[in-house]
Amino acid sequence: MVTPRILVPEKVSVDGLALLSEDYEVVSRPQGLSPEELLSLIPSFDALIVRSETKVTAEVLSAAGSRLRVVARAGVGVDNINVEAATAGGIIVVNSPAGNIVAAAEHTVALLLATARNVGRADRTTKEGRWERGKLVGVEVGRKTLGIVGLGKVGMKVARMCIGLGMKVIAFDPYANPDLARQTGVERLVPRLQDMLPEIDFMTIHTPLLASTLDLIGETEFKLMKPTARVLNVARGGVYNEAALLDALNKGIIAGAGLDVFTKEPPDESTPAWDLLRHEKVVATPHLGASTVEAQENVAVDVCTQVAAVLRGELPTSAVNAPLILPEEYRALKPYAKLIERMGGLYTQNFVSPPSSSVGVGARHFELVYHGDLAGVSNSRPLLAALIRGLVSPFSDTAGKHVNIVNAMAVAREKGIIIREVHAHSGAGSGKENSVYASSVTLRAVAAEDEQQDREKTESVNAGRQVIEGYVSANNIYISRLGRFSANFIPEGTLLILHNFDEPGKIGGVGSVLGRHGINIRFMQVASLDLERSKAGQDGTKGQERTQSDMIATNGNDDSQHAQPPVSEGSSKKKGDEALMILGVDGDITKQVMEDLRTAEGILNVSLVQL
């Protein structure tokens, strides 16, 4: 296996990179890369970690080809990444929305106090030898009104800090939780931005830069404010219209501004941003909102952890171009995602791909049934992605590693895979009313609607026979049913699954074959027929007697060339005299090993599964 490579073209905290260096090849270029250099290098990397200076354009993402799997932004905003192009290419974009919350909020408060007390001008003129106390009279912030646009994590933190300074806080955010805002101390949420502008003394914005927030505050909005109002921006340049802000300061429409971000950084000469930097009513800083030692360590550790998770085929916690996964959801879903991916791989390798199969392909239509507590999950897309990755991995040159929550459905459409999710809450019809597990999962292959009348096709897609069930216990994953057989094994490593007649001597015979070939058995389990399901018709047979051909085709493969002779009418072989042997093994399972096992007496079929 080629060691995944990670490109880091900016300075990123060594604490984060240390998490990657042991398992991955990390190429760090803290001095930066030119656009041409990035285009040249990116095709040979699996991951890219950037801050704010590197522009990850559609051209860069296209040049990366199919190898690049994740782009990580060590910070909050991702406006330097073409997220749409990344999504189209199946590339996950992650960021660190929580790593610099405290730093950004504290810098906002620092600019608020600096603008209120003219700290920037006072520092500069004093160092120039001037003592201008009379010209630098400021205002107190206590008992003043702060307006916050965007009451997210940073906005809420700013609100708490400023309430502690004795300020009254009102906010505009159409998606804010009114109860949480009230508990924080926010006096009220206004329905429209314009509603709060006439009464605020300070305004701070904490929103991403989107089409809806570009030039959010312009000439009209400034004219609604008090002439004593001051504005702050530690979010994204472009939220304030810079030309309108410059004009408002020059004309005395507002009293001052504290700016940490600009539309272009650093600003070009002869632009409004350039003039704002030098304006006597502006306190300007060079994008320092997240520039604390603690914040840089936090965001680096966060995004590097997520990059490692994506490269391992696991779930990121903050995928920008995928459904939000909250930390508690991540912890709950992670073991089930692993289980479902293994179930998909087990399905393909056991029911579809043994070399002796004359079927060659398996079902393309599936039901994925969530039982118990798992039935209440609201964000099941990571589980769907895990199933698709597991199903396609045995036939993928990348072992399915490029399948993720961003591109999983596109991969499914491309391969004709259709999955119906069923949330089987407790109650009639769930089939799990008496389950001892808090949550479990069933994967069931079903026939397509247009195949219902085609007996030849539906024989290979028997809903009762191609069934896998599993559960999680203490974060360990287990398979509890495989086809018509009850089981209880951990799906990992190299497995041999043998379908055989249930009679004495079979275990010893299989052990002898493996012993001759130097194959070590790590564990073995005999899985018996689930007779209760058979009687109830839940295995697809509706309770009728199985013929010998039924038994041979149990796993969806017509391996009649290796079947035992037909059972005579007076034979002791009858319904129920079957079993599965599930062996975890170490060693090289060659074609000869498989052939010797298949031809052993009483063995109906053998599958090699590698998970």
Side-chain angles (χ1 to χ4, degrees):
M1 295 295 291
V2 177
T3 301
R5 306 182 74 213
I6 302 169
L7 179 62
V8 188
E10 297 186 54
K11 185 177 180 180
V12 173
S13 170
V14 294
D15 291 338
L17 298 182
L19 298 174
L20 302 170
S21 57
E22 183 174 342
D23 297 318
Y24 307 102
E25 181 185 347
V26 179
V27 178
S28 180
R29 299 289 182 85
Q31 73 280 6
L33 294 173
S34 69
E36 295 75 22
E37 289 173 326
L38 182 59
L39 282 170
S40 174
L41 289 173
I42 198 62
S44 62
F45 286 89
D46 303 87
L48 175 64
I49 300 175
V50 301
R51 291 180 64 190
S52 59
E53 295 182 9
T54 303
K55 308 302 179 186
V56 187
T57 63
E59 185 181 9
V60 170
L61 295 167
S62 176
S66 61
R67 179 165 180 174
L68 186 66
R69 294 157 57 188
V70 56
V71 176
R73 163 71 164 94
V76 180
V78 291
D79 42 294
N80 58 319
I81 301 170
N82 191 319
V83 177
E84 184 177 352
T87 303
I91 300 167
I92 294 180
V93 179
V94 301
N95 67 344
S96 179
N100 58 12
I101 290 173
V102 172
E106 288 182 351
H107 196 65
T108 301
V109 174
L111 288 181
L112 182 148
L113 293 171
T115 58
R117 301 302 297 269
N118 300 310
V119 171
R121 288 167 57 195
D123 177 69
R124 184 178 65 254
T125 56
T126 302
K127 288 178 178 177
E128 291 172 352
R130 291 178 285 163
W131 198 263
E132 298 180 338
R133 292 181 63 193
K135 296 181 180 180
L136 298 171
V137 176
V139 296
E140 296 179 3
V141 300
R143 300 180 302 280
K144 298 295 194 302
T145 299
L146 171 68
I148 300 178
V149 180
L151 205 59
K153 293 179 180 179
V154 176
M156 196 71 78
K157 190 72 173 177
V158 170
R160 293 190 183 100
M161 291 179 174
C162 290
I163 290 168
L165 292 174
M167 300 187 77
K168 169 185 170 183
V169 177
I170 59 178
F172 168 68
D173 186 332
Y175 303 106
N177 183 321
D179 292 333
L180 182 58
R182 186 166 47 253
Q183 292 169 16
T184 301
V186 175
E187 186 164 299
R188 74 179 191 277
L189 292 170
V190 297
R192 299 184 310 154
L193 173 62
Q194 290 81 357
D195 293 338
M196 74 175 185
L197 296 179
E199 63 178 293
I200 57 176
D201 300 290
F202 294 86
M203 180 170 70
T204 181
I205 294 184
H206 299 284
T207 68
L209 183 63
L210 307 170
S212 58
T213 60
L214 179 65
D215 294 337
L216 181 65
I217 308 297
E219 180 181 0
T220 301
E221 288 72 28
F222 287 124
K223 287 182 177 178
L224 291 174
M225 296 182 189
K226 300 176 182 177
T228 55
R230 292 163 172 84
V231 299
L232 312 166
N233 191 4
V234 187
R236 280 288 171 264
V239 177
Y240 291 99
N241 182 295
E242 291 172 339
L245 175 57
L246 179 63
D247 187 61
L249 291 169
N250 287 334
K251 294 179 178 179
I253 295 172
I254 62 172
L259 306 176
D260 186 50
V261 289
F262 301 87
T263 51
K264 186 177 186 304
E265 297 176 352
D268 292 330
E269 293 187 35
S270 302
T271 63
W274 180 265
D275 292 333
L276 285 170
L277 280 177
R278 287 152 179 77
H279 203 285
E280 64 176 8
K281 295 181 181 179
V282 173
V283 177
T285 53
H287 204 146
L288 298 180
S291 294
T292 65
V293 172
E294 295 84 356
Q296 294 304 303
E297 291 175 350
N298 290 341
V299 298
V301 169
D302 189 2
V303 298
C304 289
T305 300
Q306 293 189 75
V307 166
V310 173
L311 293 179
R312 290 194 303 266
E314 298 177 0
L315 305 177
T317 54
S318 299
V320 173
N321 53 346
L324 176 65
I325 304 172
L326 299 174
E328 58 271 21
E329 290 178 320
Y330 172 74
R331 287 190 292 270
L333 289 180
K334 184 177 179 180
Y336 286 98
K338 180 180 179 182
L339 169 65
I340 290 170
E341 181 177 347
R342 297 285 175 84
M343 291 170 72
L346 181 58
Y347 170 83
T348 297
Q349 295 178 70
N350 184 61
F351 291 126
V352 179
S353 61
S356 62
S357 171
S358 62
V359 177
V361 294
R364 292 293 180 269
H365 294 243
F366 299 90
E367 282 185 350
L368 185 61
V369 188
Y370 310 125
H371 304 278
D373 295 343
L374 196 61
V377 67
S378 59
N379 181 7
S380 61
R381 190 164 173 181
L383 303 181
L384 277 177
L387 175 58
I388 295 165
R389 184 164 54 244
L391 289 170
V392 306
S393 60
F395 297 118
S396 169
D397 57 357
T398 61
K401 291 180 180 178
H402 284 308
V403 180
N404 53 54
I405 52 179
V406 174
N407 66 359
M409 301 317 295
V411 172
R413 286 192 296 270
E414 176 187 334
K415 297 184 178 297
I417 297 172
I418 295 176
I419 301 169
R420 184 171 76 94
E421 293 181 282
V422 179
H423 294 257
H425 297 275
S426 298
S430 74
K432 289 287 179 179
E433 291 84 350
N434 299 319
S435 174
V436 297
Y437 315 120
S439 296
S440 62
V441 182
T442 299
L443 173 64
R444 179 183 296 114
V446 297
E449 291 182 5
D450 59 355
E451 295 176 348
Q452 293 291 348
Q453 304 303 317
D454 192 333
R455 178 68 177 173
E456 182 178 351
K457 291 181 180 179
T458 56
E459 278 295 320
S460 68
V461 189
N462 187 296
R465 295 169 179 170
Q466 294 190 354
V467 175
I468 303 174
E469 293 179 355
Y471 66 96
V472 174
S473 177
N475 281 330
N476 293 316
I477 62 175
Y478 297 90
I479 299 298
S480 55
R481 184 186 180 194
L482 183 58
R484 295 182 293 124
F485 300 89
S486 295
N488 193 46
F489 66 94
I490 297 175
E492 66 179 15
T494 301
L495 304 175
L496 285 170
I497 300 176
L498 297 92
H499 177 208
N500 58 277
F501 288 121
D502 190 8
E503 60 185 15
K506 292 294 172 288
I507 294 174
V510 169
S512 296
V513 171
L514 296 178
R516 288 200 308 271
H517 290 278
I519 305 299
N520 183 53
I521 299 176
R522 292 185 291 106
F523 74 86
M524 187 197 72
Q525 181 184 120
V526 175
S528 59
L529 275 171
D530 191 335
L531 296 177
E532 289 188 9
R533 291 178 189 259
S534 299
K535 291 176 182 177
Q538 294 180 23
D539 64 350
T541 63
K542 298 183 180 179
Q544 76 265 27
E545 293 293 316
R546 292 186 184 83
T547 65
Q548 178 70 11
S549 61
D550 284 333
M551 290 190 285
I552 292 170
T554 295
N555 70 346
N557 303 313
D558 183 10
D559 298 320
S560 55
Q561 67 269 36
H562 298 303
Q564 301 303 302
V567 180
S568 65
E569 197 171 67
S571 169
S572 63
K573 297 300 174 192
K574 57 185 183 297
K575 175 181 173 182
D577 289 341
E578 303 169 64
L580 288 183
M581 267 189 279
I582 302 162
L583 297 91
V585 296
D586 292 321
D588 186 15
I589 306 298
T590 64
K591 290 183 179 179
Q592 188 59 54
V593 174
M594 296 295 288
E595 185 64 21
D596 289 353
L597 289 172
R598 286 194 184 95
T599 55
E601 184 179 356
I603 301 300
L604 297 173
N605 190 63
V606 182
S607 296
L608 174 63
V609 176
Q610 293 176 307
L611 299 171

